[in-house]
Amino acid sequence: CTADGRIVTAPIYKSVEYRDGYYLLERFEPATVSDYMQSFLVGDTDVTYLIIPSDGSFVTELKTCGTAKYCGDGIFAYYHSSSKNSVKTAYCTSRGEILYFDKGEFFDLTLSFYNGVALEEKLNTSSSGEATGNTYRFADTSFNTVSTPVEAKDFRCGLFCVGDGNGKYGVTANGKDMLLPSEYDGVFGDEKGIVAVKGSTAYAFDPDMKSLGTFDIGGDGLKNNVEDARIVSPVAVCFSTLYTGTFLLTNSGKRQNISGFYDTVFYPDSGVYSVSLSVGGAVLDRDLNELFKAPEGYSVNMWVLPCDIPVFYAMRSSEAIVYDPENGKTRKYELSAYFDGLGGFFLTGYPEKRTLALTDPVTGEQKTKVDSLARSLGTALGTLVFYDRGGYAYTVDENFNTVCCAPINKD
């Protein structure tokens, strides 16, 4: 439906995904729950997916025996099985034209295309079935081979690491031209960009290969020290090292030892970091000076970011402390066991006391009360959908005004 609740498709889809101008819809075929469980256990029931461009100019129907995915650059993959051959994964255009068959066993390893190229990795095995190593190739959108590197890695940001087999690495975006030559001791990256290490110096770049500065990591560099690195903010990189632990380092040389590699978070609106320390957690300013230290027993949550300011969770109780960078003050909340961090709110109160409420974590204002929240999820339109245990689904806007309310299947 649209943001105002207008239904635009029949309610027959199990999932809807929208990327790069295409809708990928999974039709819910079985009529009953028992039929669905039977098809899941047996695994021989076809599932129908529809591919529809945003202008609605055509509809492509895919019949699969499992699932389908969007791979980027207008290419789709779906699980394919036939008694005539061992094909597992088929890649096709938005109109269903088959481009390539992959006989690999795992659909989760489907290719991801960026700017017309994808990295394909194959596991080689001996005649006895033992693994003998990997082979790599860069493929274009027609699945023609662009190049065959000795080793490579997809950073999921449109950039790829390429190794020469002798411990030196570089970076490419198209599998042919090198953006960084293969002369670095190690290259690390993710969707935020890459970090290339040479000796005791690291060089950071955003996904467009714009330089974010150099970082003096000290020690002997990658050869016996750096194990991983990731960009946390435009001026800071987090390093995980073998001998000197984990630390946050800015391009101006400021350094802060921390205990958590993945749960270090930068909040761009306020310019502060939340980090894990050996005991508890803390908030740091842009220069890595400590602004707040959480009490013992509270730590940064590395999976859920319920709002755009630092939050620390009690490890042995359903409590949270929110730090407001605007005034340096904190608020403590007792959270419901049904807490859900999606949507930028807290679920506070107790279901047995019927005091559950969706609460703004910054101001403490109770936006709306619910009897019992079952689940919530965000939408691409900036609204929030939540389901209560009374059998209703609500869509609310950013001010928690109800946009639409509809009964749901109580089964």
Side-chain angles (χ1 to χ4, degrees):
C1 66
T2 61
D4 60 0
R6 181 173 60 88
I7 302 297
V8 294
T9 70
I12 57 174
Y13 298 104
K14 185 179 176 184
S15 65
V16 178
E17 180 184 1
Y18 179 76
R19 283 181 59 195
D20 294 349
Y22 295 100
Y23 290 97
L24 180 63
L25 304 95
E26 178 184 2
R27 181 177 289 158
F28 190 78
E29 302 279 7
T32 65
V33 172
S34 60
D35 289 342
Y36 175 72
M37 292 304 298
Q38 180 68 16
S39 67
F40 178 79
L41 294 173
V42 175
D44 60 357
T45 301
D46 285 342
V47 179
T48 300
Y49 280 83
L50 300 182
I51 302 172
I52 307 174
S54 56
D55 62 6
S57 56
F58 62 87
V59 177
T60 299
E61 188 174 286
L62 298 179
K63 289 285 188 180
T64 88
C65 62
T67 187
K69 290 183 178 180
Y70 179 65
C71 302
D73 286 347
I75 295 176
F76 297 81
Y78 62 97
Y79 202 82
H80 184 281
S81 180
S82 171
S83 59
K84 298 179 181 180
N85 53 53
S86 59
V87 169
K88 296 297 183 182
T89 302
Y91 291 87
C92 67
T93 67
S94 60
R95 291 185 177 272
E97 300 162 338
I98 299 296
L99 297 170
Y100 181 64
F101 285 120
D102 184 353
K103 296 183 180 181
E105 294 291 330
F106 302 104
F107 185 80
D108 287 342
L109 300 180
T110 50
L111 304 184
S112 296
F113 282 85
Y114 307 92
N115 302 315
V117 69
L119 175 63
E120 183 178 46
E121 179 179 355
K122 294 289 186 180
L123 176 65
N124 298 326
T125 57
S126 64
S127 57
S128 61
E130 296 181 355
T132 59
N134 295 338
T135 58
Y136 304 86
R137 78 169 181 130
F138 285 103
D140 61 21
T141 54
S142 296
F143 288 85
N144 297 316
T145 299
V146 175
S147 65
T148 55
V150 177
E151 56 181 311
K153 182 178 181 179
D154 184 354
F155 288 142
R156 304 293 176 177
C157 66
L159 299 173
F160 305 88
C161 173
V162 174
D164 64 1
N166 297 312
K168 296 297 180 180
Y169 303 89
V171 175
T172 183
N174 59 14
K176 297 183 296 183
D177 305 313
M178 298 301 293
L179 300 175
L180 291 180
S182 297
E183 59 184 35
Y184 292 84
D185 299 318
V187 178
F188 311 94
D190 55 23
E191 69 279 358
K192 291 185 178 180
I194 64 168
V195 180
V197 177
K198 182 187 293 186
S200 61
T201 303
Y203 307 85
F205 303 86
D206 70 9
D208 296 321
M209 286 302 293
K210 177 183 177 182
S211 175
L212 300 179
T214 60
F215 300 78
D216 182 9
I217 56 180
D220 294 326
L222 178 81
K223 293 180 180 179
N224 61 0
N225 198 14
V226 178
E227 296 180 301
D228 205 349
R230 69 181 186 92
I231 296 171
V232 177
S233 77
V235 298
V237 173
C238 188
F239 292 92
S240 175
T241 67
L242 183 61
Y243 301 126
T244 56
T246 302
F247 55 88
L248 190 62
L249 180 66
T250 69
N251 53 21
S252 63
K254 296 292 182 66
R255 175 172 171 157
Q256 172 68 49
N257 293 329
I258 56 179
S259 62
F261 180 74
Y262 290 106
D263 54 357
T264 298
V265 177
F266 177 68
Y267 301 87
D269 291 342
S270 55
V272 300
Y273 301 86
S274 63
V275 299
S276 290
L277 303 177
S278 56
V279 177
V283 178
L284 311 177
D285 65 14
R286 293 180 185 271
D287 294 322
L288 307 189
N289 299 308
E290 187 177 291
L291 298 175
F292 168 76
K293 189 171 184 178
E296 185 175 350
Y298 284 81
S299 64
V300 177
N301 188 296
M302 61 180 293
W303 295 288
V304 179
L305 298 178
C307 58
D308 56 1
I309 60 176
V311 180
F312 300 88
Y313 298 92
M315 292 181 285
R316 291 186 172 86
S317 63
S318 298
E319 293 182 345
I321 294 177
V322 176
Y323 176 83
D324 189 347
E326 291 295 325
N327 53 30
K329 296 182 178 180
T330 61
R331 287 179 179 270
K332 181 181 287 190
Y333 295 91
E334 292 188 5
L335 305 179
S336 165
Y338 300 110
F339 164 69
D340 189 325
L342 292 174
F345 67 90
F346 282 157
L347 182 62
T348 61
Y350 302 92
E352 63 274 11
K353 297 180 181 179
R354 299 178 68 86
T355 58
L356 291 177
L358 300 178
T359 303
D360 187 320
V362 179
T363 65
E365 178 186 358
Q366 291 187 349
K367 294 291 187 177
T368 186
K369 292 185 177 181
V370 293
D371 283 341
S372 56
L373 187 69
R375 182 187 175 203
S376 71
L377 56 92
T379 75
L381 298 175
T383 56
L384 174 71
V385 179
F386 67 89
Y387 304 85
D388 72 11
R389 298 188 190 279
Y392 288 89
Y394 297 84
T395 302
V396 298
D397 62 18
E398 66 275 10
N399 295 316
F400 285 84
N401 298 312
T402 299
V403 178
C404 65
C405 173
I408 57 176
N409 191 333
K410 295 183 180 181
D411 294 331

